[in-house]
Amino acid sequence: MAEALVPDSIATVMLMQDHRSLDIISAPTVSPADQLLLNGLKPGPTAGTCGNAVYRNEAVYTSNVHGDSRCLDVCNVFDQFELNACWSNPVRDSEGQSIGSFALSSFENREPSAFHKELLAVAAHIIGILLQRSRAQEQLEQMAYEDSLTGLSNRSALFRQLSLLIAKAQTHDHEFAVVYVDLDRFKILNDNFGHSVGDQILKLIGDRIRECTKDAYCAARVGGDEFVIVAKTTSDGERLGRAVMDALSLPIEYQAYRFPIGCSVGISCFPSDGRDPESLLNNADTAMYRAKRNELRVCYYKPEFTSKSIDDFRIENILRSAIENNLLSLRFQGKLDAKTHRTVGYETLLRLQCSDGSFISPAEFIPVAESTGLIVPIGEWVVKTALEEAGDLLQRGEDAFTLAINISGAQLATPEHIQKLLALIDASAFPNNAVYFEITETVLVKEASYASDLLETIRAAGVRLAIDDFGIGYSSLGYLKRFRVSQLKMDKVLIDDICMKEESVAIAKAVIALGHSLGLEVVAEGVESADQAVMLADINCDTLQGFFFSIPSPIESFLP
């Protein structure tokens, strides 16, 4: 329009770039090749009228570029185009700062009229408004498709990317992979250090994920501690999944702390594992939970996982119903002195009964309770009920005995829950030092860095700690001393063939000697024969537990 109003002129719009130089963004009558001659112009006192207008943030006019010192840096360009006059007005942002220029150049030597000056000013102002709107739109789009905390894509951007890839695959034979990443210990971090620290850790995690997924279609944060990567090929899915796992296996340093995070990864592939975004994400999520539950590094989705997810959903509903309708129950198994076979304690075992009278194995329902958070109300019910039922036995004149209650890693992640459990013990008939919280060796190693203060709180309250399933995990002896563990329970795997293999005897002896050297009581689980009981007594095991002596039974069966 400006060129039409000013015959024999060339109109140009230049805009400041990130490298603090001006590039042409519009010049309708200048070829792209010729535009390159002016790109990269640095604003300054000798950078022509455009460079000066931006530099001074004011209109600059010259009727003869060849005799004007302000045009020294661009004389060769004017010569090439045979231009003589140039008038420029700054393009300003909303704060009045110059961000570019609008210029009219002429083949004749001439001064701008009042009309020309007004035209330049109005055009520059309109361009400024358009650029502000464009940038505002870009920011809105960025906000709509970018996770504000990590700068990665958000769920909306992820669904858009997946939809585009699926649409493209309709006309091209194309495969890709969806990689679902879930942080392993982030909830514990949030609970112990607060959400502000958690947010800073998430930013650092986002940086690590961005760095190792540069060649992916998309890397997105889709939940509090959940991320999804869209890989370009199915094989890239595993490569990127392992790269993210390796990146997050290194502790994250923030302030004075080093946070070990870790993650679990599940992968689904298009088109074999789904032909729409929801199916691909759900199946990758299902594979991730399988990886987390089985402590795998990376797990590809398999169709049978879906039936397992449906089973878990069914169990979750049964658990919720059991909590509401009092269908949970307890069984107790005796623990006997290895020499005298006198009962010295009981372990509390949880049972889940369905409405049809059948029972679901703890191996099936405990992981579901942990993953859904139902373990917290269930855990409080177990402690309260166990103290009440075993308290009846204690008050009927039975010799003093200990009571062991299993605690999961998910319960240790909730400090308020543990405080409630300790309060229940304080209010019971049991001395605190007669109650044991049993945690598995795997949980001790995995959660120790986060649960150390809580474990110390438990010990300071007088409640003792027992390490369950000892001998099949990767426990550090330092943990046993650090948390002042009172009891080691040898796993049944170490007991099964103790009467048949010399190496099994040697391992059991070593565990017992280790426990005694640290001042710990050693319990053998899963004793199922008289020969096993005799052998364990001979090698100085302290306490025996297993079907040979008693099956898990309601407390009434132990009442006199």
Side-chain angles (χ1 to χ4, degrees):
M1 181 190 69
E3 289 178 340
L5 292 173
V6 184
D8 298 323
S9 67
I10 295 175
T12 57
V13 179
M14 303 191 79
L15 187 64
M16 188 76 77
Q17 305 301 314
D18 291 337
H19 45 72
R20 305 305 299 169
S21 64
L22 295 166
D23 283 353
I24 291 178
I25 63 169
S26 180
T29 56
V30 179
S31 70
D34 289 337
Q35 290 180 26
L36 294 176
L37 296 173
L38 271 177
N39 283 350
L41 179 65
K42 297 286 186 182
T46 57
T49 57
C50 293
N52 264 276
V54 175
Y55 178 70
R56 303 176 188 278
N57 196 15
E58 63 183 21
V60 176
Y61 315 113
T62 180
S63 60
N64 183 3
V65 296
H66 303 289
D68 195 323
S69 61
R70 295 173 297 180
C71 299
L72 290 175
D73 294 347
V74 290
C75 277
N76 61 325
V77 177
F78 285 121
D79 286 342
Q80 183 163 339
F81 289 116
E82 298 181 351
L83 295 172
N84 289 299
C86 191
W87 317 321
S88 299
N89 220 81
V91 173
R92 299 183 176 94
D93 61 18
S94 58
E95 297 178 353
Q97 300 299 312
S98 60
I99 57 172
S101 67
F102 175 67
L104 284 171
S105 303
S106 176
F107 300 105
E108 303 173 3
N109 293 332
R110 56 176 173 174
E111 295 286 345
S113 66
F115 167 75
H116 296 147
K117 292 179 180 179
E118 186 67 18
L119 174 62
L120 286 164
V122 170
H125 182 65
I126 292 173
I127 292 166
I129 292 174
L130 291 174
L131 288 172
Q132 290 172 46
R133 288 184 178 178
S134 175
R135 288 181 173 179
Q137 183 64 32
E138 289 175 0
Q139 290 174 350
L140 287 173
E141 289 182 2
Q142 186 177 35
M143 290 170 62
Y145 293 109
E146 183 180 285
D147 175 55
S148 59
L149 185 62
T150 63
L152 298 173
S153 298
N154 61 15
R155 181 178 285 272
S156 296
L158 173 66
F159 268 79
R160 182 176 67 169
Q161 179 68 70
L162 288 173
S163 297
L164 289 172
L165 288 172
I166 292 169
K168 179 181 177 182
Q170 305 302 322
T171 54
H172 299 81
D173 185 16
H174 184 61
E175 297 181 351
F176 60 88
V178 174
V179 183
Y180 210 107
V181 178
D182 183 80
L183 305 183
D184 285 339
R185 303 177 183 89
F186 187 73
K187 184 180 185 303
I188 302 173
L189 185 156
N190 251 353
D191 290 342
N192 286 277
F193 292 91
H195 289 280
S196 60
V197 171
D199 285 350
Q200 295 304 313
I201 299 302
L202 281 174
K203 288 181 181 179
L204 297 174
I205 289 171
D207 290 341
R208 291 192 183 183
I209 291 175
R210 181 185 297 104
E211 185 63 28
C212 58
T213 59
K214 289 180 178 179
D215 57 345
Y217 281 128
C218 176
R221 177 175 173 239
V222 296
D225 60 350
E226 296 175 321
F227 299 83
V228 171
I229 300 134
V230 183
K232 293 182 177 179
T233 65
T234 54
S235 59
D236 271 355
E238 182 169 357
R239 179 180 63 81
L240 291 176
R242 293 186 181 279
V244 170
M245 290 196 79
D246 291 342
L248 298 186
S249 67
L250 302 174
I252 291 178
E253 297 184 5
Y254 179 72
Q255 295 180 347
Y257 299 98
R258 299 177 80 244
F259 297 99
I261 300 294
C263 65
S264 300
V265 174
I267 302 174
S268 65
C269 300
F270 176 88
S272 58
D273 299 331
R275 293 178 175 271
D276 58 83
E278 292 83 358
S279 298
L280 289 166
L281 287 169
N282 288 340
N283 291 339
D285 187 27
T286 298
M288 180 275 296
Y289 273 108
R290 175 59 65 97
K292 187 180 290 288
R293 182 170 296 179
N294 295 342
E295 297 189 357
L296 304 171
R297 281 181 61 81
V298 176
C299 183
Y300 275 93
Y301 172 77
K302 294 180 181 178
E304 55 264 33
F305 292 174
T306 298
S307 60
K308 180 66 171 65
S309 296
I310 294 172
D311 286 343
D312 287 353
F313 183 71
R314 179 182 65 86
I315 291 172
E316 180 184 347
N317 286 333
I318 293 172
L319 276 170
R320 293 186 185 279
S321 176
I323 294 170
E324 294 173 4
N325 300 308
N326 199 29
L327 292 175
L328 294 170
S329 60
L330 297 180
R331 299 291 184 268
F332 296 83
Q333 187 174 39
K335 299 160 73 172
L336 287 75
D337 181 280
K339 301 293 186 183
T340 67
H341 290 188
R342 180 180 66 86
T343 299
V344 294
Y346 297 92
E347 179 179 357
T348 307
L349 302 167
L350 180 63
R351 296 293 182 262
L352 173 62
Q353 187 175 14
C354 300
S355 56
D356 62 2
S358 63
F359 285 87
I360 297 177
S361 165
E364 293 184 77
F365 73 77
I366 291 296
V368 175
E370 290 177 334
S371 65
T372 59
L374 292 174
I375 194 68
V376 172
I378 290 173
E380 291 177 16
W381 181 89
V382 167
V383 170
K384 182 176 183 294
T385 307
L387 291 169
E388 290 174 352
E389 293 186 0
D392 290 340
L393 189 61
L394 190 67
Q395 291 172 358
R396 293 200 182 194
E398 283 288 304
D399 293 338
F401 59 85
T402 60
L403 181 66
I405 301 171
N406 293 282
I407 300 295
S408 76
Q411 290 172 279
L412 289 174
T414 313
E416 297 82 4
H417 170 60
I418 296 297
Q419 293 292 351
K420 287 182 180 179
L421 302 188
L422 295 176
L424 289 170
I425 296 170
D426 288 338
S428 75
F430 277 88
N432 286 27
N433 63 4
V435 179
Y436 284 80
F437 279 169
E438 290 190 6
I439 59 176
T440 66
E441 181 182 11
T442 303
V443 167
L444 178 70
V445 173
K446 190 173 182 180
E447 309 297 348
S449 58
Y450 286 106
S452 58
D453 290 343
L454 198 55
L455 291 172
E456 178 58 29
T457 298
I458 293 170
R459 194 204 62 78
V463 176
R464 300 188 187 188
L465 293 173
I467 303 304
D468 200 6
D469 301 339
F470 187 82
I472 61 171
Y474 308 94
S475 183
S476 163
L477 300 186
Y479 289 148
L480 302 181
K481 292 183 64 178
R482 176 181 171 189
F483 299 123
R484 303 187 214 180
V485 173
S486 299
Q487 188 182 88
L488 291 184
K489 298 188 71 177
M490 283 193 293
D491 188 81
K492 183 179 183 297
V493 171
L494 302 180
I495 309 303
D496 284 342
D497 53 6
I498 196 170
C499 296
M500 295 177 285
K501 294 183 178 179
E502 291 185 4
E503 57 266 32
S504 296
V505 177
I507 292 172
K509 282 182 176 179
V511 172
I512 292 168
L514 167 66
H516 289 168
S517 70
L518 294 173
L520 310 181
E521 175 191 357
V522 180
V523 179
E525 293 185 282
V527 180
E528 297 181 350
S529 71
D531 289 343
Q532 289 176 339
V534 170
M535 175 68 74
L536 289 162
D538 287 345
I539 60 177
N540 296 318
C541 185
D542 301 302
T543 307
L544 307 179
Q545 178 182 347
F547 285 0
F548 177 69
F549 298 104
S550 70
I551 62 172
S553 305
I555 197 67
E556 291 81 9
S557 65
F558 299 101
L559 293 174

